[in-house]
Amino acid sequence: MTQASPNGRRAPAPAALATLHGYPRQGPGRELKKAVEGYWSGGTDAGRLLETARELRAGVRAELRAAGVEEIPTGDFSLYDHVLDTAWMVGAVPARHRAAATGGLDTYFAMARGTAEAEPLEMTKWFDTNYHYLVPELSAGTVFTADSRKQVAEYTEARREGLRARPVLLGPVSFLLLAKPAPGTDPHFEPLTLLDRLLPVYASVLADLRAAGARWAQLDEPVLVQDQPRSVLSATARAYRFLGAAADRPKLLVASYFDALGEALRPLADSPVEGLAMDFTGPAAADVDALAAIGGLPGKRLVAGVVDGRNVWAADLEKALGTLATLLGLAGRVDVAPSCSLLHVPLDVTAERDLDPQIARWLSFARQKTEEVALLARALNQGRDAIAPRLAANRAALASRAGSALVRDDAVRERAAAVTAAQTRRPQEYRERAAAQRARFGLPPLPTTTIGSFPQTGRLRRARAELRSGRIDAAGYRSRIAQEVREVIAFQEKAGLDVLVHGEPERGDMVQYFAERLTGFLATRHGWVQSYGTRYVRPPILAGDVCRPAPMTLEWTGFAQSLTERPVKGVLTGPVTMLAWSFVRDDQPLADTARQVALALREEVADLEAAGTGIIQVDEPALRELLPLRRPAHRAYLDWATEAFRLATSGVRADTQIHTHMCYAEFGDVLAGIEELDADVISLEAARSRMAVAGELAAAGYPRAAGPGVYDIHAPRVPSVAQMTELIGQALRAVPAQRLWVNPDCGLKTRSPREVEPALERMVAAAHAVRATLPAGTGNPQARRTPPPSPRPLPRPPPPPRRRPLPRTERHP
Ligand code: GLN
Ligand code: ZN
């Protein structure tokens, strides 16, 4: 097969290349994490760290070359984060970090992690992935200077090996839009106003790359897949006119991913850049038509992202070939790539020796995706017969997945299909519920509580390590957990909290814990994915229909309640968060998957209620994260997401109080969704935004109870009683006393008991101080008149599993 030229004439078309946007950085044995952390702790010197990094890059190049990748990305490697690298490349190093370190690596890591004197850069999520980038700080006074050394060195390494390579850089428009005003400068400053100052710096880096031999360079502009105002589109056009006008430059490939380019396509197509790299998977598949509608990219190169770069499923090769066939007529030449950097998936399925081989062939991690890309390029160049056996194997794998009993559970599907609108609404209005709950719990005004987890103590970590190594058995481990729960309850009673928690010591991770107890989820042993810096996570893989073979939280919640007269809140992870922090199935709509998880949680909620737990919190910290990047898709998302939450929580009596929790600020986009959850109480992150969210909630007319956090658990300080009293006072201006709760911003698991204990004691003192100032009769007329719920016996033993759960490689309590 030869590629068709844009005007339909047959020309001797260039062969399609297999290429990538980026690759996992850490190495097969997580060597990078060890080297970087070794450097931080002083065990590894800078020379050794940089040598390890060079070896890892050489290893990736060898691997990609062997796999048939013909144009290799360079510059995507990072010791910490590629947005931080970009800030460094353009000289956007804050003065406090320059002052706090001696230059070079130490300044770089000071930006990432902070020092005793200097706060680090803020960290936030990279679009709708679970990768976190460091947020560049810019101000009207920022002076950019080019430092192309990293980019040039990494390109040169590849070139010396005789490889065709393409440096990958974060583009100037995305860099500016991802930045924020430097602290202490004008908070309304718009970094995009620095574009004209930044462009010459990019031009200089590109010139250096050209001088080093680069024929192409890639500039990633993922911000263009979000709805952008006209001003951003015209800034983009201006940026690429400017960069395109330079004499000494590589050809430019502008890349976008995670959603459709939509209206940003035209200005890029009209710009002098020589190529576009686009995502054609998931919602971005809409760009196939958009591209046709603008008449294609005549004379330009199109790098077609037809293999989903951020999920773990084997590609449908036939479907990808179909997309490529359509695209062939729409550009001067077409190359084949994953939709985005493979940074977001684990390295290698074949490392998962414990995974049933029949399931393993459904999966595709970075190495397998690379093979898929190479196969597709081969089919494009030599015809599909050249890969016929692989196409057949791919068809067979997809068919085996679709027909597998591990994926399909008809009982689950029937239940999900039978869900009625009534099941997704609590039978009583909030007012009636609130009255019943006041009568039942007799809480004082401004009741105090926490979000769920207590510090992961050294003792607890030791217990987990000893369980893993076999030094203690399951019973020994359980008795350690029981001891933690006893101490956490005793502390909360002593501190005077009103609604207690068991502290979540049995949960290493709030998603993994439930994934291990529900059918349909797979765990990996080596499926590490970078979350930020040297922190890697192993997200569960949601592969099949979900049900709950047995209760998941009754035992520890019930045990905690047996130790105290005060109410103990049950804490569960919500359906949206279960999806957001897993790899999700691609063979049914997210809404259907969420509904199945919600039904399983609904059973758990019912069992908790029956066992006497009167207050149940369903955490949804990820509600905002799954919000689609494009605004027109928001409504449909909020509809299914909030319905899943209500399905999980609406089957309870009026006097059972449903809580939810969210963190990471910026609630603006999901305020409507928060209202639609219909939770009786919501706890929110607020301390850092100085209660701004309380005001937003009030302005939106939020009618139910809320606990905007008064203790910032992300900072390693213990706030004073006065500070928290002040924050409660501010919250009271937005939320009336009858509906205000007092709690920290988030779970306490990352903090030490040394900080948490005094902080909570002071939080209770602050609540008491403010209570004393409330007019008589505020809050709950029944306060303290009804006795608190009596201790409950341990719940009945769990029923036997209804069916064998999917095999899991890992199972720790
Ligand atoms: N209940 C969880 C905890 O306290 C909530 C964590 C979260 O919001 N991310 O740890
Ligand atoms: Zn939280």
Side-chain angles (χ1 to χ4, degrees):
M1 197 191 295
T2 51
Q3 294 195 3
S5 72
N7 47 20
R9 268 182 290 119
R10 283 288 177 185
L17 298 179
T19 189
L20 306 180
H21 299 254
Y23 208 64
R25 299 156 176 165
Q26 82 269 29
R30 296 209 289 156
E31 293 82 355
L32 186 62
K33 176 187 173 71
K34 289 171 202 156
V36 171
E37 288 177 353
Y39 177 75
W40 292 342
S41 64
T44 306
D45 65 17
R48 183 71 218 129
L49 170 60
L50 297 176
E51 186 50 36
T52 303
R54 260 194 301 276
E55 285 164 11
L56 289 171
R57 290 193 297 267
V60 169
R61 288 194 302 272
E63 194 180 311
L64 298 189
R65 164 191 231 165
V69 176
E70 295 147 305
E71 189 174 80
I72 281 174
T74 64
D76 61 304
F77 175 84
S78 182
L79 291 173
Y80 201 95
D81 162 46
H82 57 275
V83 182
L84 174 61
D85 294 340
T86 312
W88 188 274
M89 179 185 88
V90 301
V93 179
R96 68 177 184 283
H97 300 122
R98 286 189 200 277
T102 55
L105 278 181
D106 290 334
T107 307
Y108 176 86
F109 286 130
M111 289 166 78
R113 309 173 65 224
T115 65
E117 307 86 57
E119 296 264 312
L121 294 179
E122 213 176 86
M123 192 163 65
T124 194
K125 294 220 173 193
W126 177 245
F127 300 90
D128 55 351
T129 73
N130 282 321
Y131 177 83
H132 299 70
Y133 71 92
L134 289 164
V135 182
E137 292 176 3
L138 303 174
S139 70
T142 299
V143 176
F144 295 114
T145 52
D147 181 347
S148 62
R149 284 174 298 177
K150 173 181 183 293
Q151 280 289 346
V152 168
E154 292 180 18
Y155 172 75
T156 305
E157 288 170 358
R159 187 183 152 92
R160 285 218 186 94
E161 292 170 2
L163 298 175
R164 187 200 300 239
R166 185 181 75 247
V168 177
L169 292 76
L170 179 62
V173 178
S174 292
F175 174 74
L176 292 173
L177 289 186
L178 293 173
K180 61 164 224 171
T185 66
D186 172 12
H188 303 296
F189 172 72
E190 289 184 26
L192 191 58
T193 56
L194 298 175
L195 183 63
D196 292 327
R197 252 189 258 169
L198 180 62
L199 290 174
V201 171
Y202 265 81
S204 150
V205 172
L206 291 169
D208 291 348
L209 285 168
R210 178 73 201 111
R215 295 178 48 214
W216 282 88
Q218 173 172 329
L219 293 158
D220 285 4
E221 293 289 12
V223 297
L224 298 179
V225 306
Q226 290 170 307
D227 301 300
Q228 297 293 359
R230 201 151 281 288
S231 56
V232 169
L233 298 184
S234 60
T236 305
R238 197 166 84 246
Y240 288 96
R241 252 197 323 275
F242 180 94
L243 295 176
D248 296 320
R249 65 168 179 90
K251 292 183 178 169
L252 300 179
L253 179 75
V254 174
S256 61
Y257 33 80
F258 302 148
D259 210 321
L261 267 180
E263 72 285 351
L265 183 54
R266 171 104 268 162
L268 288 175
D270 291 345
S271 80
V273 304
E274 285 81 3
L276 298 189
M278 293 168 67
D279 179 347
F280 295 106
T281 66
D287 269 351
V288 177
D289 291 338
L291 205 52
I294 65 156
L297 301 170
K300 289 198 204 290
R301 172 184 186 188
L302 175 64
V303 173
V306 291
V307 167
D308 187 342
R310 54 185 292 191
N311 210 336
V312 291
W313 303 105
D316 181 337
L317 295 178
E318 296 279 2
K319 190 170 161 221
L321 280 176
T323 306
L324 288 168
T326 310
L327 294 172
L328 276 184
L330 292 174
R333 64 175 286 189
V334 174
D335 293 325
V336 186
S339 58
C340 60
S341 169
L342 298 178
L343 175 69
H344 306 293
V345 290
L347 187 62
D348 190 357
V349 178
T350 66
E352 301 299 330
R353 305 249 160 66
D354 302 344
L355 211 57
D356 179 340
Q358 100 119 333
I359 292 177
R361 67 187 178 138
W362 306 342
L363 297 171
S364 173
F365 294 175
R367 281 186 176 152
Q368 290 70 39
K369 287 178 189 293
T370 303
E371 276 173 37
E372 290 169 346
V373 164
L375 279 172
L376 291 167
R378 214 162 105 210
L380 226 48
N381 294 326
Q382 302 169 14
R384 46 188 300 137
D385 289 351
I387 64 162
R390 298 298 300 264
L391 284 176
N394 178 245
R395 255 193 313 274
L398 296 179
S400 104
R401 182 178 161 207
S404 167
L406 296 171
V407 167
R408 222 189 138 84
D409 179 332
D410 288 321
V412 170
R413 287 178 184 227
E414 273 158 37
R415 258 181 298 146
V419 166
T420 61
Q423 281 175 292
T424 67
R425 296 274 165 203
R426 291 189 72 175
Q428 308 83 7
E429 287 296 312
Y430 170 66
R431 212 179 251 286
E432 190 186 334
R433 284 157 20 206
Q437 292 158 18
R438 266 197 302 276
R440 175 170 180 190
F441 300 111
L443 296 170
L446 313 183
T448 52
T449 191
T450 59
I451 308 305
S453 60
F454 264 67
Q456 295 268 331
T457 55
R459 213 175 38 201
L460 195 50
R461 270 192 289 270
R462 262 195 309 284
R464 284 200 225 292
E466 289 178 22
L467 177 70
R468 268 195 303 272
S469 68
R471 294 246 299 282
I472 55 173
D473 62 6
Y477 180 71
R478 288 164 51 80
S479 71
R480 306 274 189 99
I481 297 286
Q483 190 49 31
E484 294 287 326
V485 173
R486 272 187 212 103
E487 285 176 26
V488 164
I489 293 288
F491 166 76
Q492 293 173 94
E493 285 202 318
K494 187 169 102 297
L497 284 142
D498 298 305
V499 173
L500 313 194
V501 294
H502 78 286
E504 305 179 18
E506 78 287 15
R507 305 180 192 174
D509 175 278
M510 66 187 282
V511 166
Q512 195 179 357
Y513 179 82
F514 291 95
E516 285 171 355
R517 284 160 180 77
L518 293 167
T519 67
F521 284 88
L522 305 172
T524 65
R525 189 179 282 276
H526 305 285
W528 297 103
V529 176
Q530 190 175 10
S531 171
Y532 63 88
T534 59
R535 198 184 137 85
Y536 286 80
V537 294
R538 271 178 308 183
I541 298 174
L542 215 180
D545 290 340
V546 176
C547 75
R548 185 197 71 144
M552 305 182 284
T553 64
L554 260 62
E555 186 189 9
W556 292 119
T557 309
F559 174 66
Q561 185 66 80
S562 74
L563 302 170
T564 178
E565 302 269 297
R566 300 186 187 210
V568 172
K569 174 165 75 172
V571 182
L572 308 174
T573 302
V576 176
T577 302
M578 289 299 297
L579 265 53
W581 296 348
S582 301
F583 287 112
V584 287
R585 50 196 299 188
D586 60 352
D587 57 352
Q588 71 182 16
L590 276 181
D592 295 359
T593 310
R595 180 177 276 205
Q596 294 181 358
V597 176
L599 276 172
L601 291 171
R602 185 181 172 94
E603 292 174 7
E604 185 74 11
V605 167
D607 282 352
L608 279 169
E609 180 184 62
T613 300
I615 303 183
I616 301 169
Q617 174 175 303
V618 176
D619 291 328
E620 282 293 24
L623 184 73
R624 226 223 88 149
E625 276 168 47
L626 270 200
L627 196 67
L629 294 174
R630 290 281 184 185
R631 251 174 249 127
H634 286 188
R635 190 62 258 169
Y637 162 73
L638 288 175
D639 283 347
W640 68 251
T642 59
E643 187 195 277
F645 181 91
R646 293 195 311 272
L647 179 57
T649 54
S650 293
V652 295
R653 300 192 312 249
D655 66 352
T656 294
Q657 189 169 65
I658 298 292
H659 288 222
T660 189
H661 165 69
M662 281 173 209
C663 41
Y664 294 109
E666 287 165 37
F667 293 97
D669 293 336
V670 291
L671 266 179
I674 291 178
E675 152 67 23
E676 289 158 26
L677 298 178
D678 196 23
D680 297 305
V681 183
I682 180 169
S683 58
L684 300 148
E685 174 173 315
R688 268 192 298 182
S689 64
R690 307 229 21 109
M691 288 295 141
V693 304
E696 284 176 45
L697 268 186
Y702 188 76
R704 293 178 283 277
V710 295
Y711 161 27
D712 174 8
I713 67 95
H714 298 288
R717 332 173 236 281
V718 178
S720 66
V721 176
Q723 281 165 341
M724 287 189 279
T725 304
E726 158 75 20
L727 288 172
I728 298 171
Q730 281 180 27
L732 269 176
R733 263 168 252 148
V735 183
Q738 301 78 355
R739 293 198 266 117
L740 186 66
W741 283 63
V742 174
N743 47 258
D745 266 344
C746 191
L748 305 168
K749 80 192 240 192
T750 57
R751 297 259 72 97
S752 76
R754 262 197 336 277
E755 296 158 346
V756 160
E757 293 181 1
L760 291 179
E761 283 161 6
R762 293 178 193 179
M763 185 185 86
V764 171
H768 280 268
V770 180
R771 263 176 218 167
T773 67
L774 296 175
T778 310
N780 185 3
Q782 284 117 323
R784 301 267 181 253
R785 270 197 268 132
T786 16
S790 53
R792 309 284 162 169
L794 276 174
R796 60 194 149 77
R802 256 175 264 145
R803 55 165 242 197
R804 232 163 57 81
L806 288 178
R808 296 196 184 93
T809 56
E810 193 182 20
R811 216 174 233 293
H812 52 84

